[in-house]
Amino acid sequence: MNYEAHFDQSAKLRENHWNSIGKLHSDVITHLINPAFMGGPEWPSTRQAFVIVETPAGTILASDGLSDPYNDFDENPENQSYNGIGCEFYLECNEQLTSFDEVKSSWQFSVVYQAAQLAAGNPNIASIIEEYGYVSTELYHCTVPEAFLNEHGRAGVLLGLSSRKVPSRLQLSLETIRLVNVTLLTLEELDYITTNGSEGRLEVAKRLEALETSGKSFLERKSVV
């Protein structure tokens, strides 16, 4: 198959996957002007998009394009084994976010958007998560309440938690990709990880995965540390 065939097949497989979990909106959230043209990180096929999935228990917002085949697929043999960077990122929340305006102005979208852009600038992120299981990081420009921001104005997230609804793997046209959960951390949890390093990260992850709400991000969640 050529680039177009792999692109179409991967898009259809992602669409079928999300429709098996909830109701996938037919339209995607994207940019009028691609940020890559203004110095931002470039996504594999250049296309940068996000999807909205409605479920009875809330909403899932997910990147859609990080696992596209590379746009030089037909000319570059080195990229002919990969679905982009090998992952897509998603955030699961309790709220029913139905309109584009509501989603785009939500703190949930700001978090998953910044996580996806961070991943686009770090194409080895899938292998890093594979090696360590969980990755904690801090994101700029998240419209979360101030109580979730550290002294540098960044929000902490944990990447790679298990979800009760979303499998961690998805077979696409070229490879099996990771579906990476993005969980918002409380400031106490972020401080605990910062202080205790990898052991702190694993302890926070273990405690979060023990919750019935594992994989969900919501502002009312009590800190696990």
PDB file of all heavy atoms in Angstrom, residues 159-193:
ATOM      1  N   LEU A 159       1.267  10.251  32.367  1.00  0.00           N
ATOM      2  CA  LEU A 159       0.974   9.594  31.097  1.00  0.00           C
ATOM      3  C   LEU A 159       1.080   8.088  31.273  1.00  0.00           C
ATOM      4  O   LEU A 159       2.047   7.597  31.856  1.00  0.00           O
ATOM      5  CB  LEU A 159       1.958  10.043  30.018  1.00  0.00           C
ATOM      6  CG  LEU A 159       2.134  11.542  29.813  1.00  0.00           C
ATOM      7  CD1 LEU A 159       3.201  11.812  28.756  1.00  0.00           C
ATOM      8  CD2 LEU A 159       0.815  12.195  29.439  1.00  0.00           C
ATOM      9  N   GLY A 160       0.075   7.354  30.778  1.00  0.00           N
ATOM     10  CA  GLY A 160       0.177   5.903  30.742  1.00  0.00           C
ATOM     11  C   GLY A 160      -0.676   5.137  31.727  1.00  0.00           C
ATOM     12  O   GLY A 160      -0.558   3.907  31.802  1.00  0.00           O
ATOM     13  N   LEU A 161      -1.543   5.822  32.495  1.00  0.00           N
ATOM     14  CA  LEU A 161      -2.417   5.093  33.410  1.00  0.00           C
ATOM     15  C   LEU A 161      -3.405   4.225  32.635  1.00  0.00           C
ATOM     16  O   LEU A 161      -3.741   4.497  31.486  1.00  0.00           O
ATOM     17  CB  LEU A 161      -3.207   6.066  34.287  1.00  0.00           C
ATOM     18  CG  LEU A 161      -2.498   6.697  35.490  1.00  0.00           C
ATOM     19  CD1 LEU A 161      -3.479   7.563  36.251  1.00  0.00           C
ATOM     20  CD2 LEU A 161      -1.892   5.648  36.405  1.00  0.00           C
ATOM     21  N   SER A 162      -3.886   3.168  33.288  1.00  0.00           N
ATOM     22  CA  SER A 162      -4.921   2.326  32.701  1.00  0.00           C
ATOM     23  C   SER A 162      -6.272   3.017  32.801  1.00  0.00           C
ATOM     24  O   SER A 162      -6.550   3.719  33.772  1.00  0.00           O
ATOM     25  CB  SER A 162      -4.990   0.982  33.423  1.00  0.00           C
ATOM     26  OG  SER A 162      -3.764   0.289  33.315  1.00  0.00           O
ATOM     27  N   SER A 163      -7.100   2.797  31.800  1.00  0.00           N
ATOM     28  CA  SER A 163      -8.467   3.296  31.790  1.00  0.00           C
ATOM     29  C   SER A 163      -9.423   2.118  31.903  1.00  0.00           C
ATOM     30  O   SER A 163      -9.123   1.016  31.437  1.00  0.00           O
ATOM     31  CB  SER A 163      -8.738   4.063  30.494  1.00  0.00           C
ATOM     32  OG  SER A 163     -10.125   4.261  30.291  1.00  0.00           O
ATOM     33  N   ARG A 164     -10.573   2.362  32.523  1.00  0.00           N
ATOM     34  CA  ARG A 164     -11.595   1.319  32.611  1.00  0.00           C
ATOM     35  C   ARG A 164     -12.316   1.147  31.274  1.00  0.00           C
ATOM     36  O   ARG A 164     -13.002   0.143  31.067  1.00  0.00           O
ATOM     37  CB  ARG A 164     -12.630   1.659  33.690  1.00  0.00           C
ATOM     38  CG  ARG A 164     -12.053   1.999  35.055  1.00  0.00           C
ATOM     39  CD  ARG A 164     -11.390   0.832  35.724  1.00  0.00           C
ATOM     40  NE  ARG A 164     -10.957   1.158  37.087  1.00  0.00           N
ATOM     41  CZ  ARG A 164     -10.124   0.429  37.788  1.00  0.00           C
ATOM     42  NH1 ARG A 164      -9.614  -0.677  37.287  1.00  0.00           N
ATOM     43  NH2 ARG A 164      -9.762   0.793  39.005  1.00  0.00           N
ATOM     44  N   LYS A 165     -12.176   2.117  30.362  1.00  0.00           N
ATOM     45  CA  LYS A 165     -12.933   2.083  29.118  1.00  0.00           C
ATOM     46  C   LYS A 165     -12.066   1.955  27.870  1.00  0.00           C
ATOM     47  O   LYS A 165     -12.507   1.391  26.865  1.00  0.00           O
ATOM     48  CB  LYS A 165     -13.787   3.362  28.973  1.00  0.00           C
ATOM     49  CG  LYS A 165     -14.892   3.520  29.987  1.00  0.00           C
ATOM     50  CD  LYS A 165     -15.753   4.711  29.689  1.00  0.00           C
ATOM     51  CE  LYS A 165     -16.582   4.499  28.448  1.00  0.00           C
ATOM     52  NZ  LYS A 165     -17.616   3.452  28.611  1.00  0.00           N
ATOM     53  N   VAL A 166     -10.863   2.479  27.906  1.00  0.00           N
ATOM     54  CA  VAL A 166     -10.055   2.580  26.690  1.00  0.00           C
ATOM     55  C   VAL A 166      -8.876   1.605  26.753  1.00  0.00           C
ATOM     56  O   VAL A 166      -8.035   1.704  27.654  1.00  0.00           O
ATOM     57  CB  VAL A 166      -9.523   4.016  26.503  1.00  0.00           C
ATOM     58  CG1 VAL A 166      -8.729   4.127  25.198  1.00  0.00           C
ATOM     59  CG2 VAL A 166     -10.680   5.023  26.507  1.00  0.00           C
ATOM     60  N   PRO A 167      -8.771   0.667  25.822  1.00  0.00           N
ATOM     61  CA  PRO A 167      -7.605  -0.228  25.782  1.00  0.00           C
ATOM     62  C   PRO A 167      -6.330   0.573  25.542  1.00  0.00           C
ATOM     63  O   PRO A 167      -6.355   1.672  24.989  1.00  0.00           O
ATOM     64  CB  PRO A 167      -7.900  -1.157  24.598  1.00  0.00           C
ATOM     65  CG  PRO A 167      -9.358  -1.007  24.328  1.00  0.00           C
ATOM     66  CD  PRO A 167      -9.733   0.377  24.749  1.00  0.00           C
ATOM     67  N   SER A 168      -5.211   0.007  25.948  1.00  0.00           N
ATOM     68  CA  SER A 168      -3.941   0.724  25.818  1.00  0.00           C
ATOM     69  C   SER A 168      -3.279   0.522  24.457  1.00  0.00           C
ATOM     70  O   SER A 168      -2.300   1.197  24.142  1.00  0.00           O
ATOM     71  CB  SER A 168      -2.971   0.286  26.913  1.00  0.00           C
ATOM     72  OG  SER A 168      -2.668  -1.104  26.789  1.00  0.00           O
ATOM     73  N   ARG A 169      -3.813  -0.386  23.637  1.00  0.00           N
ATOM     74  CA  ARG A 169      -3.201  -0.689  22.340  1.00  0.00           C
ATOM     75  C   ARG A 169      -4.262  -0.679  21.246  1.00  0.00           C
ATOM     76  O   ARG A 169      -5.423  -1.008  21.486  1.00  0.00           O
ATOM     77  CB  ARG A 169      -2.530  -2.064  22.346  1.00  0.00           C
ATOM     78  CG  ARG A 169      -1.635  -2.337  23.535  1.00  0.00           C
ATOM     79  CD  ARG A 169      -0.233  -1.842  23.325  1.00  0.00           C
ATOM     80  NE  ARG A 169       0.599  -2.117  24.497  1.00  0.00           N
ATOM     81  CZ  ARG A 169       1.903  -1.963  24.537  1.00  0.00           C
ATOM     82  NH1 ARG A 169       2.550  -1.538  23.458  1.00  0.00           N
ATOM     83  NH2 ARG A 169       2.589  -2.198  25.634  1.00  0.00           N
ATOM     84  N   LEU A 170      -3.815  -0.360  20.037  1.00  0.00           N
ATOM     85  CA  LEU A 170      -4.702  -0.376  18.879  1.00  0.00           C
ATOM     86  C   LEU A 170      -3.886  -0.727  17.645  1.00  0.00           C
ATOM     87  O   LEU A 170      -2.881  -0.083  17.353  1.00  0.00           O
ATOM     88  CB  LEU A 170      -5.372   0.993  18.699  1.00  0.00           C
ATOM     89  CG  LEU A 170      -6.241   1.162  17.453  1.00  0.00           C
ATOM     90  CD1 LEU A 170      -7.424   0.194  17.480  1.00  0.00           C
ATOM     91  CD2 LEU A 170      -6.729   2.602  17.318  1.00  0.00           C
ATOM     92  N   GLN A 171      -4.326  -1.744  16.923  1.00  0.00           N
ATOM     93  CA  GLN A 171      -3.641  -2.155  15.704  1.00  0.00           C
ATOM     94  C   GLN A 171      -4.051  -1.241  14.551  1.00  0.00           C
ATOM     95  O   GLN A 171      -5.233  -1.127  14.230  1.00  0.00           O
ATOM     96  CB  GLN A 171      -3.989  -3.603  15.352  1.00  0.00           C
ATOM     97  CG  GLN A 171      -3.343  -4.097  14.064  1.00  0.00           C
ATOM     98  CD  GLN A 171      -1.829  -4.151  14.152  1.00  0.00           C
ATOM     99  OE1 GLN A 171      -1.288  -4.695  15.102  1.00  0.00           O
ATOM    100  NE2 GLN A 171      -1.139  -3.585  13.155  1.00  0.00           N
ATOM    101  N   LEU A 172      -3.075  -0.596  13.928  1.00  0.00           N
ATOM    102  CA  LEU A 172      -3.344   0.234  12.758  1.00  0.00           C
ATOM    103  C   LEU A 172      -2.760  -0.437  11.518  1.00  0.00           C
ATOM    104  O   LEU A 172      -2.455  -1.623  11.525  1.00  0.00           O
ATOM    105  CB  LEU A 172      -2.785   1.642  12.964  1.00  0.00           C
ATOM    106  CG  LEU A 172      -3.449   2.467  14.076  1.00  0.00           C
ATOM    107  CD1 LEU A 172      -2.916   3.887  14.069  1.00  0.00           C
ATOM    108  CD2 LEU A 172      -4.967   2.481  13.939  1.00  0.00           C
ATOM    109  N   SER A 173      -2.584   0.309  10.456  1.00  0.00           N
ATOM    110  CA  SER A 173      -2.204  -0.298   9.181  1.00  0.00           C
ATOM    111  C   SER A 173      -0.782  -0.828   9.174  1.00  0.00           C
ATOM    112  O   SER A 173      -0.475  -1.806   8.492  1.00  0.00           O
ATOM    113  CB  SER A 173      -2.375   0.721   8.056  1.00  0.00           C
ATOM    114  OG  SER A 173      -1.472   1.811   8.219  1.00  0.00           O
ATOM    115  N   LEU A 174       0.119  -0.203   9.934  1.00  0.00           N
ATOM    116  CA  LEU A 174       1.534  -0.570   9.894  1.00  0.00           C
ATOM    117  C   LEU A 174       2.040  -1.187  11.189  1.00  0.00           C
ATOM    118  O   LEU A 174       2.979  -1.976  11.164  1.00  0.00           O
ATOM    119  CB  LEU A 174       2.378   0.674   9.572  1.00  0.00           C
ATOM    120  CG  LEU A 174       2.180   1.257   8.170  1.00  0.00           C
ATOM    121  CD1 LEU A 174       2.746   2.665   8.094  1.00  0.00           C
ATOM    122  CD2 LEU A 174       2.842   0.366   7.130  1.00  0.00           C
ATOM    123  N   GLU A 175       1.448  -0.814  12.305  1.00  0.00           N
ATOM    124  CA  GLU A 175       1.927  -1.312  13.597  1.00  0.00           C
ATOM    125  C   GLU A 175       0.847  -1.145  14.652  1.00  0.00           C
ATOM    126  O   GLU A 175      -0.179  -0.490  14.427  1.00  0.00           O
ATOM    127  CB  GLU A 175       3.194  -0.560  14.025  1.00  0.00           C
ATOM    128  CG  GLU A 175       2.984   0.927  14.220  1.00  0.00           C
ATOM    129  CD  GLU A 175       4.220   1.632  14.763  1.00  0.00           C
ATOM    130  OE1 GLU A 175       5.017   0.999  15.481  1.00  0.00           O
ATOM    131  OE2 GLU A 175       4.377   2.830  14.460  1.00  0.00           O
ATOM    132  N   THR A 176       1.093  -1.746  15.804  1.00  0.00           N
ATOM    133  CA  THR A 176       0.213  -1.557  16.954  1.00  0.00           C
ATOM    134  C   THR A 176       0.682  -0.323  17.705  1.00  0.00           C
ATOM    135  O   THR A 176       1.845  -0.227  18.090  1.00  0.00           O
ATOM    136  CB  THR A 176       0.261  -2.775  17.889  1.00  0.00           C
ATOM    137  OG1 THR A 176      -0.169  -3.930  17.167  1.00  0.00           O
ATOM    138  CG2 THR A 176      -0.645  -2.574  19.088  1.00  0.00           C
ATOM    139  N   ILE A 177      -0.224   0.630  17.890  1.00  0.00           N
ATOM    140  CA  ILE A 177       0.136   1.873  18.570  1.00  0.00           C
ATOM    141  C   ILE A 177      -0.358   1.836  20.011  1.00  0.00           C
ATOM    142  O   ILE A 177      -1.185   1.011  20.390  1.00  0.00           O
ATOM    143  CB  ILE A 177      -0.441   3.103  17.849  1.00  0.00           C
ATOM    144  CG1 ILE A 177      -1.984   3.124  17.969  1.00  0.00           C
ATOM    145  CG2 ILE A 177       0.016   3.147  16.404  1.00  0.00           C
ATOM    146  CD1 ILE A 177      -2.600   4.463  17.685  1.00  0.00           C
ATOM    147  N   ARG A 178       0.156   2.762  20.809  1.00  0.00           N
ATOM    148  CA  ARG A 178      -0.312   2.949  22.183  1.00  0.00           C
ATOM    149  C   ARG A 178      -1.359   4.056  22.208  1.00  0.00           C
ATOM    150  O   ARG A 178      -1.212   5.078  21.528  1.00  0.00           O
ATOM    151  CB  ARG A 178       0.839   3.354  23.105  1.00  0.00           C
ATOM    152  CG  ARG A 178       1.895   2.290  23.302  1.00  0.00           C
ATOM    153  CD  ARG A 178       2.868   2.733  24.379  1.00  0.00           C
ATOM    154  NE  ARG A 178       2.220   2.739  25.684  1.00  0.00           N
ATOM    155  CZ  ARG A 178       2.336   1.759  26.577  1.00  0.00           C
ATOM    156  NH1 ARG A 178       3.061   0.697  26.312  1.00  0.00           N
ATOM    157  NH2 ARG A 178       1.744   1.834  27.743  1.00  0.00           N
ATOM    158  N   LEU A 179      -2.417   3.841  22.975  1.00  0.00           N
ATOM    159  CA  LEU A 179      -3.362   4.894  23.302  1.00  0.00           C
ATOM    160  C   LEU A 179      -3.005   5.350  24.710  1.00  0.00           C
ATOM    161  O   LEU A 179      -3.201   4.617  25.671  1.00  0.00           O
ATOM    162  CB  LEU A 179      -4.796   4.383  23.218  1.00  0.00           C
ATOM    163  CG  LEU A 179      -5.227   3.921  21.820  1.00  0.00           C
ATOM    164  CD1 LEU A 179      -6.609   3.293  21.871  1.00  0.00           C
ATOM    165  CD2 LEU A 179      -5.209   5.080  20.836  1.00  0.00           C
ATOM    166  N   VAL A 180      -2.458   6.543  24.811  1.00  0.00           N
ATOM    167  CA  VAL A 180      -1.838   7.002  26.058  1.00  0.00           C
ATOM    168  C   VAL A 180      -2.806   7.888  26.835  1.00  0.00           C
ATOM    169  O   VAL A 180      -3.196   8.963  26.377  1.00  0.00           O
ATOM    170  CB  VAL A 180      -0.533   7.767  25.772  1.00  0.00           C
ATOM    171  CG1 VAL A 180       0.119   8.199  27.086  1.00  0.00           C
ATOM    172  CG2 VAL A 180       0.429   6.907  24.962  1.00  0.00           C
ATOM    173  N   ASN A 181      -3.170   7.411  28.003  1.00  0.00           N
ATOM    174  CA  ASN A 181      -4.035   8.190  28.886  1.00  0.00           C
ATOM    175  C   ASN A 181      -3.262   9.356  29.487  1.00  0.00           C
ATOM    176  O   ASN A 181      -2.111   9.220  29.898  1.00  0.00           O
ATOM    177  CB  ASN A 181      -4.571   7.294  30.000  1.00  0.00           C
ATOM    178  CG  ASN A 181      -5.417   8.044  31.004  1.00  0.00           C
ATOM    179  OD1 ASN A 181      -4.911   8.616  31.954  1.00  0.00           O
ATOM    180  ND2 ASN A 181      -6.720   8.047  30.778  1.00  0.00           N
ATOM    181  N   VAL A 182      -3.912  10.508  29.535  1.00  0.00           N
ATOM    182  CA  VAL A 182      -3.359  11.712  30.162  1.00  0.00           C
ATOM    183  C   VAL A 182      -4.203  12.009  31.400  1.00  0.00           C
ATOM    184  O   VAL A 182      -5.402  12.282  31.281  1.00  0.00           O
ATOM    185  CB  VAL A 182      -3.391  12.921  29.211  1.00  0.00           C
ATOM    186  CG1 VAL A 182      -2.772  14.154  29.870  1.00  0.00           C
ATOM    187  CG2 VAL A 182      -2.676  12.593  27.895  1.00  0.00           C
ATOM    188  N   THR A 183      -3.608  11.929  32.571  1.00  0.00           N
ATOM    189  CA  THR A 183      -4.330  12.184  33.821  1.00  0.00           C
ATOM    190  C   THR A 183      -3.774  13.427  34.501  1.00  0.00           C
ATOM    191  O   THR A 183      -2.564  13.520  34.747  1.00  0.00           O
ATOM    192  CB  THR A 183      -4.209  10.988  34.781  1.00  0.00           C
ATOM    193  OG1 THR A 183      -4.835   9.833  34.185  1.00  0.00           O
ATOM    194  CG2 THR A 183      -4.889  11.276  36.112  1.00  0.00           C
ATOM    195  N   LEU A 184      -4.659  14.360  34.806  1.00  0.00           N
ATOM    196  CA  LEU A 184      -4.261  15.569  35.524  1.00  0.00           C
ATOM    197  C   LEU A 184      -3.902  15.223  36.959  1.00  0.00           C
ATOM    198  O   LEU A 184      -4.644  14.531  37.653  1.00  0.00           O
ATOM    199  CB  LEU A 184      -5.408  16.586  35.501  1.00  0.00           C
ATOM    200  CG  LEU A 184      -5.172  17.894  36.253  1.00  0.00           C
ATOM    201  CD1 LEU A 184      -4.077  18.727  35.576  1.00  0.00           C
ATOM    202  CD2 LEU A 184      -6.475  18.691  36.348  1.00  0.00           C
ATOM    203  N   LEU A 185      -2.750  15.711  37.414  1.00  0.00           N
ATOM    204  CA  LEU A 185      -2.309  15.493  38.787  1.00  0.00           C
ATOM    205  C   LEU A 185      -2.688  16.665  39.673  1.00  0.00           C
ATOM    206  O   LEU A 185      -2.737  17.816  39.223  1.00  0.00           O
ATOM    207  CB  LEU A 185      -0.789  15.319  38.817  1.00  0.00           C
ATOM    208  CG  LEU A 185      -0.207  14.092  38.114  1.00  0.00           C
ATOM    209  CD1 LEU A 185       1.318  14.182  38.073  1.00  0.00           C
ATOM    210  CD2 LEU A 185      -0.643  12.805  38.794  1.00  0.00           C
ATOM    211  N   THR A 186      -2.932  16.373  40.933  1.00  0.00           N
ATOM    212  CA  THR A 186      -3.063  17.457  41.896  1.00  0.00           C
ATOM    213  C   THR A 186      -1.672  18.033  42.155  1.00  0.00           C
ATOM    214  O   THR A 186      -0.656  17.397  41.861  1.00  0.00           O
ATOM    215  CB  THR A 186      -3.649  16.956  43.226  1.00  0.00           C
ATOM    216  OG1 THR A 186      -2.713  16.062  43.840  1.00  0.00           O
ATOM    217  CG2 THR A 186      -4.981  16.247  43.012  1.00  0.00           C
ATOM    218  N   LEU A 187      -1.634  19.219  42.709  1.00  0.00           N
ATOM    219  CA  LEU A 187      -0.340  19.835  42.999  1.00  0.00           C
ATOM    220  C   LEU A 187       0.429  19.015  44.033  1.00  0.00           C
ATOM    221  O   LEU A 187       1.656  18.902  43.947  1.00  0.00           O
ATOM    222  CB  LEU A 187      -0.548  21.268  43.497  1.00  0.00           C
ATOM    223  CG  LEU A 187       0.673  22.187  43.465  1.00  0.00           C
ATOM    224  CD1 LEU A 187       1.305  22.214  42.082  1.00  0.00           C
ATOM    225  CD2 LEU A 187       0.282  23.598  43.906  1.00  0.00           C
ATOM    226  N   GLU A 188      -0.283  18.414  44.975  1.00  0.00           N
ATOM    227  CA  GLU A 188       0.377  17.568  45.973  1.00  0.00           C
ATOM    228  C   GLU A 188       1.026  16.346  45.318  1.00  0.00           C
ATOM    229  O   GLU A 188       2.144  15.950  45.682  1.00  0.00           O
ATOM    230  CB  GLU A 188      -0.641  17.117  47.032  1.00  0.00           C
ATOM    231  CG  GLU A 188      -1.181  18.231  47.911  1.00  0.00           C
ATOM    232  CD  GLU A 188      -2.326  18.999  47.268  1.00  0.00           C
ATOM    233  OE1 GLU A 188      -2.749  18.627  46.150  1.00  0.00           O
ATOM    234  OE2 GLU A 188      -2.792  19.976  47.885  1.00  0.00           O
ATOM    235  N   GLU A 189       0.331  15.758  44.362  1.00  0.00           N
ATOM    236  CA  GLU A 189       0.892  14.593  43.664  1.00  0.00           C
ATOM    237  C   GLU A 189       2.104  14.974  42.827  1.00  0.00           C
ATOM    238  O   GLU A 189       3.107  14.254  42.805  1.00  0.00           O
ATOM    239  CB  GLU A 189      -0.191  13.963  42.787  1.00  0.00           C
ATOM    240  CG  GLU A 189      -1.295  13.299  43.596  1.00  0.00           C
ATOM    241  CD  GLU A 189      -2.576  13.079  42.822  1.00  0.00           C
ATOM    242  OE1 GLU A 189      -2.679  13.572  41.672  1.00  0.00           O
ATOM    243  OE2 GLU A 189      -3.489  12.424  43.351  1.00  0.00           O
ATOM    244  N   LEU A 190       2.019  16.129  42.162  1.00  0.00           N
ATOM    245  CA  LEU A 190       3.151  16.598  41.367  1.00  0.00           C
ATOM    246  C   LEU A 190       4.354  16.866  42.263  1.00  0.00           C
ATOM    247  O   LEU A 190       5.488  16.478  41.940  1.00  0.00           O
ATOM    248  CB  LEU A 190       2.764  17.861  40.594  1.00  0.00           C
ATOM    249  CG  LEU A 190       3.870  18.508  39.752  1.00  0.00           C
ATOM    250  CD1 LEU A 190       4.400  17.538  38.702  1.00  0.00           C
ATOM    251  CD2 LEU A 190       3.364  19.789  39.101  1.00  0.00           C
ATOM    252  N   ASP A 191       4.135  17.510  43.402  1.00  0.00           N
ATOM    253  CA  ASP A 191       5.228  17.781  44.342  1.00  0.00           C
ATOM    254  C   ASP A 191       5.829  16.480  44.864  1.00  0.00           C
ATOM    255  O   ASP A 191       7.055  16.376  45.034  1.00  0.00           O
ATOM    256  CB  ASP A 191       4.714  18.631  45.511  1.00  0.00           C
ATOM    257  CG  ASP A 191       4.417  20.074  45.111  1.00  0.00           C
ATOM    258  OD1 ASP A 191       4.914  20.508  44.051  1.00  0.00           O
ATOM    259  OD2 ASP A 191       3.693  20.756  45.856  1.00  0.00           O
ATOM    260  N   TYR A 192       4.983  15.495  45.134  1.00  0.00           N
ATOM    261  CA  TYR A 192       5.456  14.211  45.644  1.00  0.00           C
ATOM    262  C   TYR A 192       6.369  13.530  44.622  1.00  0.00           C
ATOM    263  O   TYR A 192       7.427  12.997  44.971  1.00  0.00           O
ATOM    264  CB  TYR A 192       4.257  13.319  45.964  1.00  0.00           C
ATOM    265  CG  TYR A 192       4.609  12.012  46.630  1.00  0.00           C
ATOM    266  CD1 TYR A 192       4.788  11.937  48.000  1.00  0.00           C
ATOM    267  CD2 TYR A 192       4.765  10.850  45.871  1.00  0.00           C
ATOM    268  CE1 TYR A 192       5.108  10.736  48.618  1.00  0.00           C
ATOM    269  CE2 TYR A 192       5.095   9.644  46.472  1.00  0.00           C
ATOM    270  CZ  TYR A 192       5.257   9.591  47.846  1.00  0.00           C
ATOM    271  OH  TYR A 192       5.585   8.405  48.451  1.00  0.00           O
ATOM    272  N   ILE A 193       5.973  13.568  43.358  1.00  0.00           N
ATOM    273  CA  ILE A 193       6.786  12.968  42.304  1.00  0.00           C
ATOM    274  C   ILE A 193       8.091  13.740  42.126  1.00  0.00           C
ATOM    275  O   ILE A 193       9.167  13.146  41.986  1.00  0.00           O
ATOM    276  CB  ILE A 193       5.997  12.924  40.984  1.00  0.00           C
ATOM    277  CG1 ILE A 193       4.827  11.951  41.093  1.00  0.00           C
ATOM    278  CG2 ILE A 193       6.901  12.525  39.817  1.00  0.00           C
ATOM    279  CD1 ILE A 193       3.879  11.978  39.912  1.00  0.00           C
TER     280      ILE A 193
END
